[in-house]
Amino acid sequence: MAKATNHDVYFVPGLHRGLKVLEILGAAETPMSLSEIARAMGLSRSSAFRLVYTLRQMEFIREAEQANAFTLGARVLNLGFAYLNQQPIAEIARPILASLRDETGVSTHLSVLEGDDVLYLVSHQARSGYVSNMRTGTRTQAYASAIGWCLLGAKDDNTLAVFAQRQSWHPFTEHTPTDPDSLTARVKQARDDGFVISRGFREPGGSSVAVPVRNNSGAIIACVNLSGPDSGFDFDRMESFYLPKTQEAALHISRALGYQGS
Amino acid sequence: MAKATNHDVYFVPGLHRGLKVLEILGAAETPMSLSEIARAMGLSRSSAFRLVYTLRQMEFIREAEQANAFTLGARVLNLGFAYLNQQPIAEIARPILASLRDETGVSTHLSVLEGDDVLYLVSHQARSGYVSNMRTGTRTQAYASAIGWCLLGAKDDNTLAVFAQRQSWHPFTEHTPTDPDSLTARVKQARDDGFVISRGFREPGGSSVAVPVRNNSGAIIACVNLSGPDSGFDFDRMESFYLPKTQEAALHISRALGYQGS
DNA sequence: CTGGTGTGTTTTGCATATTAAACATCATTA
DNA sequence: TAATGATGTTTAATATGCAAAACACACCAG
């Protein structure tokens, strides 16, 4: 009996668990000992030993200063950046968003939908004041931010409904949608307008402008956004200045991807 | 017979090969089919099939638009950035190097020695003109650049000699050291001066200022550098302006790491 | 010193992953 | 159409990874 999950016949558990070790070490605040890893994985120490042994030999993990404790090694960086360099959109967007940051003075980002999350691919921090905690590689729940609504516009109504069903709603601020209906309303609004301007939706006191990026067939594949504290935005110029600048950048990127519209 | 490498008893090949698949996909220009992966790995298709199956199920790889071809998935990004976020020096240096970039107008970087390579941890591009190809995650040979000489100052003479022995010397420019002696001379010079100013050493027409970052015990653990095309640097002000600014930033970072000196 | 509890490491019988080989598709070519 | 060669997939015999248990060493408390 037992037989727990009955993993597919083709599954290679050694690989699965090794990658999980990497993720656990990635999430850890401090280096972990072999035993800690074994416990966190729900594995025997002997199995963990073999995984750690292999990973260390491959230099994907390394011992920390304190002996018998392990951290991620630099080799995982290569993987992460190999991924980034393979996303042509990131290459294209980087200089455009840098200019946008310089023109507007607030932080600029490019993000895509990855599963149910918003994933930040490019991020340029405002040159002064407030530092956003959104950096390349950051993930946030898509349902809870202007960027998310903008990106979710890519989904058709049915897919969107299914997406909404599986969310666990957490009210980040008083404006966060907390049920499928209010979310779909937001998304449809974003789709109709072609942009989202938000004020304190994701974080109290934080505002943002989001505009979709489209590919050659006109589908939404990414989202450009400005974000910053209310104090950094001149709210009166939101529609007259920040929005058009952002739209211009988004269009610039879309064109570079073969988008024919305007 | 055969028995090829007689891998250690504790080695788990499934993990080893899975990670190798990720690296191969990371290095690939375009998505790869199952068979291509198998060939690149020197494996049977059936084995590659199981690795790909597992990686795909874990979302470390995904099928490209073209069916039956695979690319890295977004989940590898998490690993890479988890590593970065675990390097406190990167967190500390980021805003300092952003200011340095803004004050000097040229690109700024923080790098560490990783094995025999220089690894860039933080990178802020100049806001105009020339865009350097050194970004976070980039690796370069340590022996061939000002940053490298600066970082190699951390090694004692014996270790440095051993390091020098195993390099394969490639003359990137006419100034690149091509033998152990000229390298060690460079490194000792850097150690004595406490900085390196270079002109066209790594790339023709590219200049750079590099200053070491020290930890609480005074050891060199990283290196701050400015880099840009000669046209971006005002060479007359190299020692009067760029160098002191860089030293100031490096000291700032060193202090934040507990360095007591000056 | 003794017993206890924590390590990391090694062993070994059993369960399971692995791969050669067969199979099923799909193109292309004769 | 049949032959060919490439692909992705499945199978089954065998090679191998796995975890329980034993081991060795450390640390700490009494």
Side-chain angles (χ1 to χ4, degrees), chain A residues 9-10 13-14 17 43-48 50-51:
Chain A
V9 207
Y10 299 130
R17 293 190 296 197
L43 275 179
S44 63
R45 288 194 314 254
S46 52
S47 300
R50 309 172 87 257
L51 297 172

Side-chain angles (χ1 to χ4, degrees), chain B residues 119-174:
Chain B
L119 174 66
Y120 286 74
L121 288 183
V122 178
S123 186
H124 290 279
Q125 293 295 321
R127 298 179 54 232
S128 60
Y130 179 82
V131 173
S132 130
N133 50 3
M134 301 304 162
R135 284 212 292 272
T136 304
T138 303
R139 285 168 184 269
T140 66
Q141 289 100 321
Y143 75 85
S145 67
I147 304 104
W149 307 333
C150 178
L151 286 167
L152 288 169
K155 292 187 185 291
D156 69 85
D157 291 350
N158 285 334
T159 316
L160 182 58
V162 174
F163 168 89
Q165 287 305 329
R166 66 172 170 263
Q167 301 309 303
S168 49
W169 309 91
H170 174 76
F172 293 97
T173 77
E174 52 185 322

Side-chain angles (χ1 to χ4, degrees), chain A residues 15 20 40 46 48 53 66 81 86 89 100 120-121 131 167 181 184 213 218 233 236:
Chain A
L15 175 53
K20 219 150 168 232
S46 52
Y53 180 90
Q66 15 168 334
F81 283 92
Q86 285 179 356
I89 191 176
L100 181 62
Y120 286 74
L121 288 183
V131 173
Q167 302 307 303
D181 284 349
T184 52
V213 171
F233 272 123
D236 295 338

